[in-house]
Amino acid sequence: MENNSNTSEKWRHWITCQLCVDIVVWLCAAVPVLILFLFITPYDRGFFCDDVTLSYPYKPDTVSASHLVLGGFSISVAVVVVVEILRSVDCNRKKSAQVRDNISYCIKGYGVFLVGFVIEQFVVQVFKKQMGVLRPNFFDVCKPDFNRSFCPGYITNYTCSGDVKEIQDSRQSFPSGHASFSMYVAVFYCIYIQNRLEIKFSVILKFFLQAGLICLSAVCGFTRITDHFHHPTDVAAGFLLGVTIAIFVYNMIGKKVLKTDSCDNSAYMQNLLLMAKSRDYYYSEAQTPLSQTPLPLLKNDFLNMGFEKTPTTPLLPLNSPFNVRRPVSMPIEPLKLLEEV
């Protein structure tokens, strides 16, 4: 009992240490994302004064950044809750140990999701700050003041007369952060549903859950085009980035951390029967008495050759030394055998 308690205590210490290290690593990766978002200014890019793609009017957000983050995390929690409820109903599991395992699985799954979220935001912020692509509403937000005599040419010397924060934001069009984050959430939890949810009472429920996530992400991305905040290529790049990071994170980390046990009761009962049979066989072999009479020895056709004439006895030459009649107990010396040959 003491050895078991010591082992379990060491295991708990190891899990706690591993969790602390992972949290520290996650914070170290999240701090650069926060610095990029708050303190780094985007690249100051020029423009063509007759560029029609930058002359769209400014419109307020249909889905603001705060609403996007709040909605994305709320949807992720709702998906996990719905999946676990449907799984528990279908599997009919009510034991406390199984409930603890389900809660542990959900926590680990959300941890993997947060790792991918940090990676997605880091890539998005690096592209936004380094490329400085102008939004479609740049002229309306910036209201640039420049020498009109250089038109139609590329203008680099200009000053903006609008709000400073809005001007900086108008230089961060590529890629679309809304499209990237929404598609990352959708694809990540589509894979989560595919691997976690096993139900027998419906064939299309899983599909409609996954399709609903993709449709919400697509609507969120398309509103960025209609609101004149992104070019279509920005939204397409954001979608592609979200899909890539979701698949990459789930394959690299999720497969190692998130291992789902099957809730098939028939398979579970078959495993129990196989374990019971193997146990009974082991005990029957271990309890066999040593004084038990062994099985009769098989007949040695090689040594009895010449004494028994059976149809199965192979025909040998008459001068073969194997046809010489000898008692069974008499050994055949190798040298004499060679001399006779």
Side-chain angles (χ1 to χ4, degrees), residues 306-326:
F307 293 98
E308 296 180 4
K309 301 298 183 180
T310 60
T312 58
T313 303
L315 297 177
L316 296 175
L318 296 177
N319 58 352
S320 173
F322 296 105
N323 280 335
V324 179
R325 295 189 178 184
R326 293 184 178 86

PDB file of all heavy atoms in Angstrom, residues 306-326:
ATOM      1  N   GLY A 306      12.499 -50.667 -40.071  1.00  0.00           N
ATOM      2  CA  GLY A 306      12.987 -52.028 -40.243  1.00  0.00           C
ATOM      3  C   GLY A 306      12.237 -53.013 -39.395  1.00  0.00           C
ATOM      4  O   GLY A 306      12.182 -54.184 -39.708  1.00  0.00           O
ATOM      5  N   PHE A 307      11.709 -52.575 -38.238  1.00  0.00           N
ATOM      6  CA  PHE A 307      10.927 -53.459 -37.386  1.00  0.00           C
ATOM      7  C   PHE A 307       9.462 -53.454 -37.780  1.00  0.00           C
ATOM      8  O   PHE A 307       8.772 -54.441 -37.640  1.00  0.00           O
ATOM      9  CB  PHE A 307      11.049 -53.049 -35.905  1.00  0.00           C
ATOM     10  CG  PHE A 307      12.437 -53.268 -35.362  1.00  0.00           C
ATOM     11  CD1 PHE A 307      13.322 -52.205 -35.293  1.00  0.00           C
ATOM     12  CD2 PHE A 307      12.838 -54.509 -34.934  1.00  0.00           C
ATOM     13  CE1 PHE A 307      14.589 -52.387 -34.787  1.00  0.00           C
ATOM     14  CE2 PHE A 307      14.118 -54.699 -34.420  1.00  0.00           C
ATOM     15  CZ  PHE A 307      14.997 -53.641 -34.355  1.00  0.00           C
ATOM     16  N   GLU A 308       8.986 -52.270 -38.215  1.00  0.00           N
ATOM     17  CA  GLU A 308       7.580 -52.156 -38.578  1.00  0.00           C
ATOM     18  C   GLU A 308       7.476 -51.901 -40.080  1.00  0.00           C
ATOM     19  O   GLU A 308       8.184 -51.046 -40.622  1.00  0.00           O
ATOM     20  CB  GLU A 308       6.911 -51.011 -37.822  1.00  0.00           C
ATOM     21  CG  GLU A 308       6.889 -51.245 -36.316  1.00  0.00           C
ATOM     22  CD  GLU A 308       6.223 -50.082 -35.620  1.00  0.00           C
ATOM     23  OE1 GLU A 308       5.742 -49.169 -36.334  1.00  0.00           O
ATOM     24  OE2 GLU A 308       6.171 -50.086 -34.390  1.00  0.00           O
ATOM     25  N   LYS A 309       6.670 -52.648 -40.696  1.00  0.00           N
ATOM     26  CA  LYS A 309       6.429 -52.494 -42.123  1.00  0.00           C
ATOM     27  C   LYS A 309       5.030 -51.887 -42.290  1.00  0.00           C
ATOM     28  O   LYS A 309       4.028 -52.595 -42.274  1.00  0.00           O
ATOM     29  CB  LYS A 309       6.517 -53.845 -42.850  1.00  0.00           C
ATOM     30  CG  LYS A 309       7.874 -54.518 -42.689  1.00  0.00           C
ATOM     31  CD  LYS A 309       8.992 -53.685 -43.288  1.00  0.00           C
ATOM     32  CE  LYS A 309      10.333 -54.403 -43.179  1.00  0.00           C
ATOM     33  NZ  LYS A 309      11.424 -53.624 -43.760  1.00  0.00           N
ATOM     34  N   THR A 310       4.996 -50.593 -42.324  1.00  0.00           N
ATOM     35  CA  THR A 310       3.718 -49.887 -42.477  1.00  0.00           C
ATOM     36  C   THR A 310       3.716 -49.221 -43.840  1.00  0.00           C
ATOM     37  O   THR A 310       4.763 -48.946 -44.423  1.00  0.00           O
ATOM     38  CB  THR A 310       3.541 -48.825 -41.378  1.00  0.00           C
ATOM     39  OG1 THR A 310       4.609 -47.899 -41.467  1.00  0.00           O
ATOM     40  CG2 THR A 310       3.537 -49.476 -39.996  1.00  0.00           C
ATOM     41  N   PRO A 311       2.529 -48.964 -44.333  1.00  0.00           N
ATOM     42  CA  PRO A 311       2.453 -48.295 -45.644  1.00  0.00           C
ATOM     43  C   PRO A 311       3.106 -46.924 -45.654  1.00  0.00           C
ATOM     44  O   PRO A 311       3.508 -46.450 -46.692  1.00  0.00           O
ATOM     45  CB  PRO A 311       0.946 -48.200 -45.900  1.00  0.00           C
ATOM     46  CG  PRO A 311       0.329 -49.246 -45.046  1.00  0.00           C
ATOM     47  CD  PRO A 311       1.196 -49.358 -43.836  1.00  0.00           C
ATOM     48  N   THR A 312       3.233 -46.300 -44.461  1.00  0.00           N
ATOM     49  CA  THR A 312       3.816 -44.964 -44.427  1.00  0.00           C
ATOM     50  C   THR A 312       5.326 -44.992 -44.324  1.00  0.00           C
ATOM     51  O   THR A 312       5.972 -43.956 -44.386  1.00  0.00           O
ATOM     52  CB  THR A 312       3.260 -44.188 -43.228  1.00  0.00           C
ATOM     53  OG1 THR A 312       3.556 -44.901 -42.017  1.00  0.00           O
ATOM     54  CG2 THR A 312       1.741 -44.013 -43.344  1.00  0.00           C
ATOM     55  N   THR A 313       5.948 -46.219 -44.129  1.00  0.00           N
ATOM     56  CA  THR A 313       7.393 -46.305 -44.005  1.00  0.00           C
ATOM     57  C   THR A 313       8.041 -46.041 -45.355  1.00  0.00           C
ATOM     58  O   THR A 313       7.698 -46.683 -46.341  1.00  0.00           O
ATOM     59  CB  THR A 313       7.805 -47.695 -43.507  1.00  0.00           C
ATOM     60  OG1 THR A 313       7.132 -47.927 -42.265  1.00  0.00           O
ATOM     61  CG2 THR A 313       9.314 -47.779 -43.310  1.00  0.00           C
ATOM     62  N   PRO A 314       8.971 -45.102 -45.432  1.00  0.00           N
ATOM     63  CA  PRO A 314       9.590 -44.804 -46.729  1.00  0.00           C
ATOM     64  C   PRO A 314      10.477 -45.952 -47.190  1.00  0.00           C
ATOM     65  O   PRO A 314      11.097 -46.655 -46.385  1.00  0.00           O
ATOM     66  CB  PRO A 314      10.404 -43.532 -46.434  1.00  0.00           C
ATOM     67  CG  PRO A 314      10.655 -43.568 -44.976  1.00  0.00           C
ATOM     68  CD  PRO A 314       9.488 -44.237 -44.349  1.00  0.00           C
ATOM     69  N   LEU A 315      10.561 -46.197 -48.486  1.00  0.00           N
ATOM     70  CA  LEU A 315      11.371 -47.242 -49.061  1.00  0.00           C
ATOM     71  C   LEU A 315      12.810 -46.777 -49.157  1.00  0.00           C
ATOM     72  O   LEU A 315      13.089 -45.708 -49.688  1.00  0.00           O
ATOM     73  CB  LEU A 315      10.842 -47.612 -50.452  1.00  0.00           C
ATOM     74  CG  LEU A 315       9.409 -48.185 -50.463  1.00  0.00           C
ATOM     75  CD1 LEU A 315       8.989 -48.428 -51.905  1.00  0.00           C
ATOM     76  CD2 LEU A 315       9.329 -49.460 -49.636  1.00  0.00           C
ATOM     77  N   LEU A 316      13.743 -47.584 -48.601  1.00  0.00           N
ATOM     78  CA  LEU A 316      15.167 -47.269 -48.621  1.00  0.00           C
ATOM     79  C   LEU A 316      15.918 -48.371 -49.364  1.00  0.00           C
ATOM     80  O   LEU A 316      15.441 -49.503 -49.465  1.00  0.00           O
ATOM     81  CB  LEU A 316      15.708 -47.139 -47.195  1.00  0.00           C
ATOM     82  CG  LEU A 316      15.117 -45.996 -46.354  1.00  0.00           C
ATOM     83  CD1 LEU A 316      15.657 -46.069 -44.930  1.00  0.00           C
ATOM     84  CD2 LEU A 316      15.444 -44.651 -46.974  1.00  0.00           C
ATOM     85  N   PRO A 317      17.094 -48.105 -49.873  1.00  0.00           N
ATOM     86  CA  PRO A 317      17.896 -49.164 -50.519  1.00  0.00           C
ATOM     87  C   PRO A 317      18.217 -50.274 -49.529  1.00  0.00           C
ATOM     88  O   PRO A 317      18.310 -50.044 -48.309  1.00  0.00           O
ATOM     89  CB  PRO A 317      19.152 -48.422 -50.968  1.00  0.00           C
ATOM     90  CG  PRO A 317      18.741 -46.992 -51.036  1.00  0.00           C
ATOM     91  CD  PRO A 317      17.704 -46.791 -49.986  1.00  0.00           C
ATOM     92  N   LEU A 318      18.413 -51.497 -50.079  1.00  0.00           N
ATOM     93  CA  LEU A 318      18.686 -52.637 -49.214  1.00  0.00           C
ATOM     94  C   LEU A 318      20.006 -52.501 -48.492  1.00  0.00           C
ATOM     95  O   LEU A 318      20.179 -53.005 -47.385  1.00  0.00           O
ATOM     96  CB  LEU A 318      18.667 -53.929 -50.053  1.00  0.00           C
ATOM     97  CG  LEU A 318      17.297 -54.269 -50.675  1.00  0.00           C
ATOM     98  CD1 LEU A 318      17.451 -55.525 -51.539  1.00  0.00           C
ATOM     99  CD2 LEU A 318      16.263 -54.491 -49.590  1.00  0.00           C
ATOM    100  N   ASN A 319      21.009 -51.894 -49.127  1.00  0.00           N
ATOM    101  CA  ASN A 319      22.315 -51.766 -48.493  1.00  0.00           C
ATOM    102  C   ASN A 319      22.416 -50.530 -47.609  1.00  0.00           C
ATOM    103  O   ASN A 319      23.503 -50.123 -47.243  1.00  0.00           O
ATOM    104  CB  ASN A 319      23.407 -51.710 -49.564  1.00  0.00           C
ATOM    105  CG  ASN A 319      23.164 -50.544 -50.538  1.00  0.00           C
ATOM    106  OD1 ASN A 319      22.124 -49.909 -50.487  1.00  0.00           O
ATOM    107  ND2 ASN A 319      24.133 -50.336 -51.430  1.00  0.00           N
ATOM    108  N   SER A 320      21.292 -49.891 -47.316  1.00  0.00           N
ATOM    109  CA  SER A 320      21.331 -48.694 -46.471  1.00  0.00           C
ATOM    110  C   SER A 320      21.606 -49.095 -45.033  1.00  0.00           C
ATOM    111  O   SER A 320      21.054 -50.085 -44.548  1.00  0.00           O
ATOM    112  CB  SER A 320      20.009 -47.940 -46.564  1.00  0.00           C
ATOM    113  OG  SER A 320      19.995 -46.889 -45.635  1.00  0.00           O
ATOM    114  N   PRO A 321      22.485 -48.399 -44.336  1.00  0.00           N
ATOM    115  CA  PRO A 321      22.766 -48.753 -42.920  1.00  0.00           C
ATOM    116  C   PRO A 321      21.568 -48.535 -42.032  1.00  0.00           C
ATOM    117  O   PRO A 321      21.514 -49.049 -40.928  1.00  0.00           O
ATOM    118  CB  PRO A 321      23.906 -47.797 -42.555  1.00  0.00           C
ATOM    119  CG  PRO A 321      23.757 -46.638 -43.484  1.00  0.00           C
ATOM    120  CD  PRO A 321      23.245 -47.223 -44.761  1.00  0.00           C
ATOM    121  N   PHE A 322      20.559 -47.786 -42.497  1.00  0.00           N
ATOM    122  CA  PHE A 322      19.388 -47.562 -41.650  1.00  0.00           C
ATOM    123  C   PHE A 322      18.472 -48.771 -41.612  1.00  0.00           C
ATOM    124  O   PHE A 322      17.565 -48.830 -40.797  1.00  0.00           O
ATOM    125  CB  PHE A 322      18.602 -46.348 -42.161  1.00  0.00           C
ATOM    126  CG  PHE A 322      19.393 -45.068 -42.068  1.00  0.00           C
ATOM    127  CD1 PHE A 322      19.936 -44.485 -43.197  1.00  0.00           C
ATOM    128  CD2 PHE A 322      19.610 -44.472 -40.841  1.00  0.00           C
ATOM    129  CE1 PHE A 322      20.666 -43.325 -43.109  1.00  0.00           C
ATOM    130  CE2 PHE A 322      20.332 -43.300 -40.753  1.00  0.00           C
ATOM    131  CZ  PHE A 322      20.871 -42.722 -41.897  1.00  0.00           C
ATOM    132  N   ASN A 323      18.683 -49.746 -42.526  1.00  0.00           N
ATOM    133  CA  ASN A 323      17.851 -50.952 -42.515  1.00  0.00           C
ATOM    134  C   ASN A 323      18.416 -52.036 -41.623  1.00  0.00           C
ATOM    135  O   ASN A 323      17.835 -53.089 -41.497  1.00  0.00           O
ATOM    136  CB  ASN A 323      17.708 -51.496 -43.934  1.00  0.00           C
ATOM    137  CG  ASN A 323      16.651 -50.726 -44.706  1.00  0.00           C
ATOM    138  OD1 ASN A 323      15.761 -50.157 -44.097  1.00  0.00           O
ATOM    139  ND2 ASN A 323      16.777 -50.727 -46.024  1.00  0.00           N
ATOM    140  N   VAL A 324      19.592 -51.788 -41.005  1.00  0.00           N
ATOM    141  CA  VAL A 324      20.163 -52.780 -40.099  1.00  0.00           C
ATOM    142  C   VAL A 324      19.366 -52.797 -38.818  1.00  0.00           C
ATOM    143  O   VAL A 324      19.089 -51.731 -38.243  1.00  0.00           O
ATOM    144  CB  VAL A 324      21.639 -52.459 -39.805  1.00  0.00           C
ATOM    145  CG1 VAL A 324      22.232 -53.477 -38.842  1.00  0.00           C
ATOM    146  CG2 VAL A 324      22.416 -52.421 -41.106  1.00  0.00           C
ATOM    147  N   ARG A 325      18.998 -53.983 -38.365  1.00  0.00           N
ATOM    148  CA  ARG A 325      18.187 -54.092 -37.162  1.00  0.00           C
ATOM    149  C   ARG A 325      19.060 -53.888 -35.932  1.00  0.00           C
ATOM    150  O   ARG A 325      20.028 -54.567 -35.726  1.00  0.00           O
ATOM    151  CB  ARG A 325      17.509 -55.458 -37.094  1.00  0.00           C
ATOM    152  CG  ARG A 325      16.500 -55.677 -38.199  1.00  0.00           C
ATOM    153  CD  ARG A 325      15.710 -56.944 -37.950  1.00  0.00           C
ATOM    154  NE  ARG A 325      14.719 -57.128 -38.985  1.00  0.00           N
ATOM    155  CZ  ARG A 325      13.827 -58.117 -38.975  1.00  0.00           C
ATOM    156  NH1 ARG A 325      13.829 -58.994 -37.977  1.00  0.00           N
ATOM    157  NH2 ARG A 325      12.954 -58.210 -39.952  1.00  0.00           N
ATOM    158  N   ARG A 326      18.686 -52.940 -35.147  1.00  0.00           N
ATOM    159  CA  ARG A 326      19.386 -52.647 -33.899  1.00  0.00           C
ATOM    160  C   ARG A 326      18.346 -52.429 -32.820  1.00  0.00           C
ATOM    161  O   ARG A 326      17.250 -51.944 -33.103  1.00  0.00           O
ATOM    162  CB  ARG A 326      20.245 -51.379 -34.036  1.00  0.00           C
ATOM    163  CG  ARG A 326      21.406 -51.522 -34.999  1.00  0.00           C
ATOM    164  CD  ARG A 326      22.227 -50.244 -34.957  1.00  0.00           C
ATOM    165  NE  ARG A 326      23.391 -50.330 -35.815  1.00  0.00           N
ATOM    166  CZ  ARG A 326      23.399 -50.052 -37.109  1.00  0.00           C
ATOM    167  NH1 ARG A 326      22.286 -49.668 -37.682  1.00  0.00           N
ATOM    168  NH2 ARG A 326      24.505 -50.164 -37.824  1.00  0.00           N
TER     169      ARG A 326
END
